[in-house]
Amino acid sequence: MVDEAPSKPALSALPRHATVIRQVFDGRDLSTLRALNLRFDRCSFRGADLRHATLDGCSFKLCDLRGADLRGASLRGVNWAGCDLRDADLRDTDLTDARFGFVNTGAPPHGLTDVTGARFDRAVLRDLKAEDVVGWNG
């Protein structure tokens, strides 16, 4: 995590299925970001503002989203694998066809997605899949 993370316009300009690796977006204003089908690997979004972002089809692997504000975001088909979403705000999000899962690290319970304290009030959870998720009450 040495280089400066891409700006919101640079993220929006990335082609579908591009991979963003080990970037830090902590506390950044990424509200209304439109980034489709991107792959985020070991990125940090702690406390980031992602309100009303459109992240449909994106994949997050081993990412830190603790305390991130995702209110009103479109997260259709998003895959969360081994991510830390503790205390994230997912109110009013669209999580249709999303998947909360894990990464096989070979050492359980490592690699599990953690949603402890995350808020899902009024979120659309149609066809959402949650497998081996810490803090899930669904």
Side-chain angles (χ1 to χ4, degrees):
M1 294 190 215
V2 179
D3 299 330
E4 185 171 333
S7 65
K8 184 163 67 170
L11 275 175
S12 293
L14 288 174
R16 288 177 186 241
H17 307 293
T19 302
V20 180
I21 301 172
R22 295 185 184 273
Q23 296 298 311
V24 178
F25 301 95
D26 295 354
R28 300 257 305 265
D29 179 4
L30 299 173
S31 59
T32 69
L33 170 68
R34 182 172 172 79
L36 304 175
N37 299 98
L38 296 183
R39 296 182 190 123
F40 294 96
D41 188 348
R42 292 182 169 94
C43 292
S44 181
F45 295 88
R46 288 180 71 172
D49 182 355
L50 288 153
R51 287 174 298 145
H52 302 288
T54 301
L55 300 169
D56 298 342
C58 285
S59 174
F60 294 84
K61 183 172 99 178
L62 299 171
C63 291
D64 186 350
L65 290 105
R66 284 179 280 176
D69 188 349
L70 292 139
R71 285 178 291 163
S74 181
L75 305 168
R76 298 171 65 90
V78 168
N79 185 38
W80 312 92
C83 294
D84 190 344
L85 289 144
R86 287 179 288 171
D87 300 316
D89 193 342
L90 292 132
R91 290 179 288 171
D92 301 309
T93 57
D94 185 352
L95 287 157
T96 299
D97 291 320
R99 180 178 180 274
F100 289 98
F102 61 95
V103 173
N104 186 359
T105 61
H110 305 294
L112 300 180
T113 291
D114 190 345
V115 296
T116 303
R119 299 188 62 186
F120 291 93
D121 309 47
R122 298 174 308 280
V124 176
L125 305 176
R126 188 177 314 114
D127 297 324
L128 179 121
K129 295 157 200 70
E131 183 178 356
D132 292 331
V133 178
V134 176
W136 183 256
N137 295 323

